[in-house]
Amino acid sequence: MRTTIELTDDQRAKLLALAATTAVTVYKPYSGAARSSDRRLLDECLPTLTILPLDARSARYAGAVDLSLRQKGRAINPGDIVIARICLAHDFALVARKVSRFWRVADLKVVTLEELSG
C-alpha cells in the first residue's frame, strides 16, 4: 500500500534542493516499471535533480555485491543493486518506499519517506 506524505511548499523546496537520483532510477519508470502518475511526478521533478551516473567503479562494485548476495541465496533485483552502489559511491542515503531488500547491501544508508518527513 502506498503512503502519501503531505509536504509544505517550503519543505518540498528544501528537499528538492538536496535531492539527487540515479540514471538507473530515471530509466525504470519510463520502461514501464511504474505507474503513469510516477512518470508524471518524475517529469516534474527531474529538471531540479542531480543525476548520479553509473560509472565503472559503481558497476564493478555492484557486480561484486550481486554475486555475493546470489551466492548467499539473498539475491535482489540487479537494478536495485546498481542504484544502491551508486548511492554508496557518492555517499548518499537511499530513499525508498520498499526498504527491506536494500538492507542486504552492506554499509548502505536507507531512509524511508516517513523518516524523511520527520
Side-chain angles (χ1 to χ4, degrees), residues 54-93:
L54 172 59
D55 57 17
R57 179 174 163 231
S58 296
R60 189 170 52 248
Y61 285 121
V65 169
D66 185 34
L67 177 62
S68 174
L69 289 174
R70 282 187 290 118
Q71 287 174 337
K72 295 174 185 174
R74 304 182 70 216
I76 62 175
N77 180 300
D80 290 339
I81 293 172
V82 172
I83 291 167
R85 286 308 308 180
I86 292 170
C87 290
L88 281 165
H90 294 276
D91 197 30
F92 278 93

